[in-house]
Amino acid sequence: MAEDDEIYGGYTQTELDALYDQFHEIPEHDRYVERWESWSQTVREKWDFETLSYGESPRQRIDLFHGNSPDAGLVVFFHGGAWQRHTKEQFHYIADSMVTDGFAYAAVDFDSVPDVPFETQIEEAVRAVEFLIKNAHGYSGESIYLVGHAAGAHLAAMAVTTNWPKRLGTDSCPLKGGMLISGIYDLDPIQHTKRNEYLHLSTAMIQAYSPIQRVLEHPCPLVIGWGSDEGEELKRQSQDFAAAWRRVGGRCNAFELPRSNHLDMSLELGDADGPLLSAFLNLDAEAT
């Protein structure tokens, strides 16, 4: 195959790899990481938190920032760079906005790929949510909101599309809503990128682990966001998932943030007065 041959969606190999490598697209990405870490340090000095274990692996941990009420809703966050980089501690800054707005906040960590198979990481994410539902303290286990950014949005979407009444053996679903930011919801194009060198996606896996293939009837309301300066593939992924959600009757407030790249979107989650948090706080009213 020639270097300039189209391999997926009209893109060449080089183009498709770049579209799914946001660090490549943002050369100054180190300054974002520095901002996450400095802001998170400030938040740890401001808010108390505890670390919980939902499994035996050292990475199967959750940092829980309690809300101002034992009946507070719980925001469960899955960080970006989930497949190979970043940790929950870098995203403690999001607790600043969530606790300020009346929620408890749980930053989830999990094993990286390829340290564990891709499907194992997904099961860890779902298991973390199940642990938080079953072991509620300092928040309501019946008011769970799932939030994720980038590859973390894929994990959050996998948890959102889990049949929770069946998994929990209950008649009701504790998920009250979610916010998915700059995510990947269809794995089909990923198998054509260099990321598949460590994800090892098969056709069966693409079907099973693409959230867009798992949309349930009567889903909870969602906010779905993406940045104006992100690549066309991430924009398409978000728009397609929002359309799939609405097709089965789900309420969804999907929109583009102007002058925002992939990493700007993660910082937006820490802004209590920003458009993402405003949409999230008005989830029931705005999702259509």
Side-chain angles (χ1 to χ4, degrees), residues 11 98 131 135 145 155-156 164 178 223 246 260 277-278 282:
Y11 299 111
M98 295 303 179
F131 173 88
N135 297 277
Y145 299 83
L155 294 176
W164 286 103
V223 171
R246 289 167 174 151
S260 297
L277 269 294
S278 177
N282 293 283

Side-chain angles (χ1 to χ4, degrees), residues 66-221:
H66 292 282
N68 297 321
S69 163
D71 296 324
L74 176 67
V75 171
V76 183
F77 179 71
F78 296 94
H79 61 75
W83 293 339
Q84 285 205 307
R85 49 168 81 100
H86 303 320
T87 65
K88 59 180 170 45
E89 289 83 4
Q90 293 173 307
F91 299 91
H92 284 175
Y93 69 85
I94 298 172
D96 212 14
S97 58
M98 295 303 179
V99 175
T100 296
D101 284 329
F103 296 94
Y105 173 73
V108 179
D109 227 340
F110 30 78
D111 288 299
S112 297
V113 179
D115 294 340
V116 298
F118 182 58
E119 56 268 38
T120 298
Q121 185 188 75
I122 293 169
E123 175 55 27
E124 287 183 13
V126 175
R127 195 188 323 147
V129 176
E130 183 176 12
F131 173 88
L132 289 164
I133 293 170
K134 292 181 175 179
N135 297 277
H137 68 288
Y139 59 88
S140 171
E142 298 180 354
S143 296
I144 306 294
Y145 299 83
L146 303 185
V147 177
H149 172 250
H154 172 263
L155 294 176
M158 288 297 293
V160 164
T161 56
T162 293
N163 186 332
W164 286 103
K166 180 178 180 180
R167 182 163 179 130
L168 298 171
T170 63
D171 294 329
S172 60
C173 179
L175 298 190
K176 302 306 179 187
M179 181 161 55
L180 307 175
I181 306 302
S182 305
I184 294 170
Y185 313 105
D186 179 5
L187 295 174
D188 188 35
I190 306 301
Q191 70 174 321
H192 301 285
T193 71
K194 62 184 178 182
R195 289 184 178 273
N196 207 36
E197 294 174 3
Y198 58 85
L199 292 175
H200 304 299
L201 296 173
S202 65
T203 301
M205 290 172 65
I206 290 167
Q207 178 71 26
Y209 302 124
S210 290
I212 200 166
Q213 302 290 339
R214 294 162 43 98
V215 177
L216 305 171
E217 292 183 3
H218 311 298
C220 62

Side-chain angles (χ1 to χ4, degrees), residues 30-67:
D30 285 347
R31 70 180 178 86
Y32 287 93
V33 176
E34 291 170 1
R35 175 61 174 140
W36 298 340
E37 292 177 346
S38 63
W39 192 355
S40 292
Q41 179 59 41
T42 300
V43 166
R44 286 191 289 272
E45 296 168 358
K46 179 179 180 181
W47 305 105
D48 292 330
F49 72 96
E50 62 177 316
T51 299
L52 309 173
S53 300
Y54 66 91
E56 295 181 358
S57 166
R59 290 290 298 272
Q60 293 174 5
R61 300 291 184 267
I62 301 167
D63 290 340
L64 174 64
F65 292 77
H66 292 282

